[in-house]
Amino acid sequence: MRVNRCVRVCTRLILLLFLTAWALLAPPPRLLAAATPLGDPAVPAVGRAWPVGLRPPVLRGWEPPATVYSRGHRGVDLAAAPGTPVRAVAAGRVSFAGRVAGKGVVSVELTGTGDPPLRTTYEPVTASVEEGDEMEPGEVIGTVDATGSHCTAPCVHWGLRRGETYLNPLSLLPPWLLSRGPSRLLPVY
């Protein structure tokens, strides 16, 4: 009786160890891949700059909800220290700069992206722009707030919408901005 019980306990421990190792060594699911957009054909790659830094780490990726009211992550969280400049990813017009639920938010309607136009949002941000300001790609719209982030590490949440539909903001960036590969020197002829 004791031997059978010992065998069962040992079998369960080995199975638990195997499953834990498998889960830790498996590649992350595609939805959480940091630099992989989901290639939404409704989103033109008009972005010319990352919102923060050159190639910031993506702390949490785009996780579209199953339905309009389901759980999900309707944007991406980019690592950024408080005070980091936040830049417009593409040309557009500031449609909102203010506080929402205690957090600083800036929204920019992107030029030439259809009707209704695409709209990017950035939070938590201390705005340096006002509603109606015209923005160029890479132009500073504010700085990352020290408080108000929903991340466990300092970050800026970057979102994208067309009307009421949330889209993957990484789809705005062309492949050359998403690439994390090393630079290559090419011969000059």
Side-chain angles (χ1 to χ4, degrees):
M1 183 103 147
R2 281 182 143 173
V3 174
N4 285 341
R5 186 174 189 186
C6 183
V7 169
R8 281 195 315 255
V9 169
C10 289
T11 303
R12 287 179 182 163
L13 286 174
I14 291 170
L15 181 60
L16 180 62
L17 182 62
F18 174 76
L19 291 174
T20 302
W22 177 76
L24 291 173
L25 296 174
R30 182 167 172 81
L31 289 178
L32 299 177
T36 306
L38 295 178
D40 191 331
V43 180
V46 296
R48 295 294 171 257
W50 281 91
V52 290
L54 295 176
R55 284 191 177 96
V58 177
L59 301 177
R60 184 173 177 193
W62 163 251
E63 299 168 24
T67 68
V68 176
Y69 301 107
S70 296
R71 289 184 339 169
H73 192 239
R74 293 160 172 86
V76 295
D77 294 335
L78 305 173
T84 300
V86 180
R87 301 177 184 283
V89 298
R93 184 185 57 80
V94 176
S95 58
F96 179 82
R99 301 199 72 73
V100 175
K103 296 180 186 181
V105 177
V106 175
S107 294
V108 179
E109 285 187 359
L110 304 183
T111 304
T113 57
D115 187 29
L118 291 171
R119 183 174 67 239
T120 57
T121 59
Y122 313 85
E123 67 175 77
V125 174
T126 299
S128 60
V129 294
E130 295 178 357
E131 189 174 325
D133 287 352
E134 295 291 329
M135 307 304 304
E136 292 298 320
E139 193 171 342
V140 174
I141 60 173
T143 56
V144 177
D145 278 346
T147 61
S149 173
H150 63 257
C151 303
T152 56
C155 79
V156 65
H157 178 84
W158 176 33
L160 177 66
R161 289 172 66 172
R162 181 181 301 280
E164 297 302 313
T165 303
Y166 289 91
L167 302 165
N168 182 358
L170 290 176
S171 296
L172 286 172
L173 300 178
W176 61 269
L177 266 177
L178 289 169
S179 172
R180 290 191 179 269
S183 299
R184 293 185 323 163
L185 295 176
L186 300 175
V188 177
Y189 295 100

